[in-house]
Amino acid sequence: MLFSNNQKQKRAIALLVAGGFLTLPSMVLGEEIRRDDLTGSDLSRVREIVKPTASFDKAERFERMSAGAATTTINPSKDAFSQHLKNLDFSGQERFKLGNGLFRKLWVSSPSSTQASDGLGPLFNARSCQRCHLKDGRGHPPQHSADTATSMFLRLSIPPRNTAERQAILKGELDVITEPTYGKQLQDFSIPELAAEGRMVISYEEIEAFLNGGERVSLRKPSYDIADLSYGPLADDVMLSPRVAPQMIGLGLIEAIHPADIIENAKTQQRSDDAVKGKVSWVGPKSEGKRAIGRFGWKASTPTVLQQSAGAFEGDIGISNDIAPRHSGDCTENQQACLTQATGVQKRLGETEAPSPVLELVTFYSRNLAVPARRNINNPEVLKGKEIFYNIGCVTCHRPKYVTSREGDQEELKFQLIWPYTDLLLHDMGAGLADNRPVGTATGTQWRTPPLWGIGLTKEVSGHTYFLHDGRARNLTEAILWHGGEAEAAQQAFVNLPKNERQNLIKFLESL
């Protein structure tokens, strides 16, 4: 059953303000965290600022500046996602440019005459960060038979096989049990001395969907397989999960959102009487007191930009670093020829292939990529679309705004009013989007709510409009129609809108 517009608006507002936003101590999974970075007067200001609006006749104050003072206002172009934070000082800009150079650097196999770029693989998905995150934008599935899957790959794992493995998952010591031969992900490239692991194969089935007013939409339902396996069969119970590379903008600001705000999102949804019940993704060992909120990745399985960068170096390129120190990347014990290849460690530079200065510069670059300013915020159709976005319940998960923490290592990221449109929680998105592959505390149907900022520039930056974790949606309408599970009510409300109102909602999203 659908709600009236007023009912939906009141419900959305109630979900976000019930119980006193940011003020209550939070108790989720035994964790108690307060917004302790703010004084009493700051807290009152923040509470007022982040209230969802109930007025849609004009843009809100500061709404154009999606990332506060860090927003880039350079005219949108193919480089719209490759700008540094606008408020970054000269020293920071120098580090950003150095990090950009390393982000684009092509690694080579060992040994080589370069010595500073050695260590690729031996198995890998890409030779550089830039190859997956082209122009710092969104990846895509192969678009034709001659296209590679460089910006998309398959995660691999198996269910726990014994009590010890089940306990390791429950205690947070492991997030998955890796496939015994092929490891955490399928690597479809290798150095010349080895064979690549295999090749991802995607097939699509077209499914018709019908919208109010007689409009018909064709959705493509993907199926995944692996061809040309080079190291023997996969485990019979292997679980595959496709992932496209996400866009890179605003990561430092996402990291600067106070944990209490994310926990409060979950508490507020738990108190509501509708079906949306987001879950905080806690990652890390429970016993060592190092648990943190997962904010990054399609399953919210990584808590920091540093850890995300370190994991990508090791898993995607096969480059060891101080946080992920395996010189052979994702090679397993069942791939002995892989494990015996030369490494790229240069003792004069450190104990790993990407010593700390390299990892830190790439992390700094990733953390400081700016979010572009909004466009057309006072366009009447955009404003109408924004009102619909609130009224049909999208705003419950895609929370519009936060004020970042006053604490942290970097001044430019502190105490900024930002508009990422995410609650950073895990949600059951239904059987249609399920990969049926649990990761840590995320089940096989749960996905993190992705930030929406910059989504309207996807075509400009990446040259396509493929969305969702596997790029199956070919436009924003298809992406909405794939929403199920906790999002099914909002999806059905979208289906039942008059065509012009659906178009207004899309125009609002394109303005982000």
Side-chain angles (χ1 to χ4, degrees):
M1 177 181 293
L2 298 176
F3 297 90
S4 70
N5 284 352
N6 285 339
Q7 284 175 314
K8 292 165 192 164
Q9 184 172 315
K10 289 176 181 176
R11 182 184 61 152
I13 293 171
L15 284 171
L16 289 172
V17 301
F21 204 72
L22 302 177
T23 60
L24 296 177
S26 299
M27 294 293 294
V28 176
L29 297 178
E31 304 282 347
E32 181 173 357
I33 302 176
R34 294 173 181 269
R35 189 75 200 253
D36 54 2
D37 61 310
L38 301 177
T39 65
S41 59
D42 278 350
L43 187 58
S44 298
R45 288 171 57 204
V46 167
R47 288 178 60 192
E48 191 62 33
I49 289 168
V50 300
K51 281 182 181 176
T53 185
S55 174
F56 302 96
D57 57 340
K58 62 181 181 180
E60 295 171 74
R61 193 179 182 197
F62 306 123
E63 187 173 1
R64 177 170 177 266
M65 304 298 281
S66 295
T71 307
T72 177
T73 53
I74 292 178
N75 287 334
S77 69
K78 286 185 177 180
D79 296 322
F81 289 179
S82 299
Q83 309 301 317
H84 59 71
L85 303 185
K86 188 176 182 180
N87 55 352
L88 203 59
D89 63 18
F90 287 128
S91 173
Q93 291 177 34
E94 181 182 25
R95 292 181 67 193
F96 180 88
K97 290 172 182 173
L98 289 170
N100 187 18
L102 292 167
F103 192 83
R104 301 163 66 94
K105 172 193 180 101
L106 290 173
W107 294 84
V108 299
S109 58
S110 303
S112 81
S113 59
T114 67
Q115 295 197 339
S117 301
D118 289 21
L120 177 67
L123 300 169
F124 58 95
N125 294 105
R127 289 183 59 197
S128 72
C129 309
Q130 171 86 351
R131 288 288 176 92
C132 292
H133 302 280
L134 189 60
K135 308 298 286 183
D136 305 294
R138 193 181 300 265
H140 61 81
Q143 300 181 70
H144 47 77
S145 59
D147 194 11
T148 67
T150 301
S151 60
M152 179 180 183
F153 63 79
L154 286 172
R155 292 279 193 204
L156 310 173
S157 60
I158 60 173
R161 295 163 294 189
N162 50 51
T163 301
E165 290 182 348
R166 281 189 286 275
Q167 287 298 312
I169 297 286
L170 288 172
K171 292 177 180 178
E173 296 165 352
L174 296 174
D175 58 357
V176 297
I177 306 300
T178 59
E179 204 285 334
T181 299
Y182 291 86
K184 271 192 172 184
Q185 63 197 54
L186 181 76
Q187 272 106 7
D188 48 4
F189 294 101
S190 65
I191 63 174
E193 291 77 8
L194 290 175
E197 291 187 318
R199 178 171 55 85
M200 177 174 60
V201 178
I202 312 174
S203 57
Y204 293 105
E205 173 190 357
E206 293 290 336
I207 302 172
E208 275 196 324
F210 298 90
L211 309 181
N212 181 31
E215 184 179 355
R216 300 197 320 182
V217 176
S218 183
L219 304 176
R220 58 176 186 174
K221 178 183 177 183
S223 297
Y224 299 93
D225 201 352
I226 301 175
D228 305 328
L229 286 169
S230 298
Y231 298 88
L234 290 157
D236 291 339
D237 51 357
V238 66
M239 297 179 285
L240 310 180
S241 184
R243 310 288 173 87
V244 295
Q247 62 188 27
M248 297 287 293
I249 56 173
L251 301 185
L253 291 162
I254 293 290
E255 196 173 50
I257 293 174
H258 197 284
D261 287 0
I262 301 171
I263 293 169
E264 189 60 33
N265 288 340
K267 287 171 62 68
T268 302
Q269 292 175 13
Q270 289 296 326
R271 286 193 292 263
S272 77
D273 57 2
D274 70 10
V276 179
K277 305 293 180 190
K279 182 174 79 176
V280 175
S281 174
W282 290 103
V283 298
K286 295 178 182 177
S287 59
E288 299 176 15
K290 296 179 180 176
R291 299 216 95 191
I293 293 178
R295 304 164 186 238
F296 302 105
W298 290 104
K299 293 273 189 179
S301 54
T302 309
T304 67
V305 181
L306 176 64
Q307 287 175 265
Q308 186 77 12
S309 303
F313 257 130
E314 184 193 60
D316 301 347
I317 313 177
I319 297 295
S320 61
N321 52 79
D322 289 347
I323 293 177
R326 294 195 303 168
H327 305 320
S328 300
D330 197 32
C331 299
T332 69
E333 294 296 325
N334 292 329
Q335 296 169 318
Q336 283 298 312
C338 185
L339 293 173
T340 56
Q341 297 299 314
T343 76
V345 175
Q346 309 293 324
K347 291 294 185 184
R348 62 189 172 83
L349 299 176
E351 298 298 321
T352 59
E353 294 164 329
S356 289
V358 173
L359 177 61
E360 289 168 5
L361 283 169
V362 169
T363 301
F364 187 85
Y365 174 75
S366 304
R367 186 178 282 138
N368 287 277
L369 282 161
V371 179
R374 290 270 310 275
R375 286 89 47 217
N376 306 317
I377 56 173
N378 279 308
N379 179 295
E381 293 174 331
V382 169
L383 289 169
K384 184 62 182 174
K386 178 183 173 184
E387 183 176 9
I388 295 166
F389 185 85
Y390 276 61
N391 288 344
I392 67 174
C394 307
V395 74
T396 305
C397 299
H398 290 286
R399 175 181 160 181
K401 48 191 169 177
Y402 297 81
V403 173
T404 59
S405 176
R406 275 199 180 278
E407 299 174 345
D409 296 331
Q410 193 174 332
E411 200 62 36
E412 293 88 351
L413 302 171
K414 296 180 184 177
F415 208 54
Q416 298 292 332
L417 172 60
I418 64 173
W419 306 68
Y421 287 89
T422 174
D423 59 8
L424 294 175
L425 300 177
L426 293 168
H427 291 277
D428 182 341
M429 295 301 291
L433 285 179
D435 64 354
N436 300 310
R437 176 179 179 271
V439 177
T441 57
T443 70
T445 62
Q446 289 179 326
W447 299 94
R448 179 199 66 153
T449 307
L452 296 182
W453 53 12
I455 197 168
L457 290 171
T458 301
K459 179 73 173 179
E460 184 76 28
V461 172
S462 301
H464 64 78
T465 54
Y466 297 140
F467 300 107
L468 301 175
H469 67 279
D470 55 3
R472 70 178 67 186
R474 290 164 290 199
N475 52 55
L476 290 169
T477 296
E478 290 185 26
I480 295 170
L481 293 178
W482 275 109
H483 282 51
E486 296 176 38
E488 187 166 355
Q491 183 252 37
Q492 278 300 306
F494 174 77
V495 168
N496 292 328
L497 288 171
K499 183 175 182 178
N500 67 316
E501 294 193 8
R502 288 196 298 270
Q503 291 173 333
N504 288 339
L505 177 57
I506 298 299
K507 286 180 179 176
F508 164 68
L509 294 173
E510 290 173 345
S511 77
L512 296 179

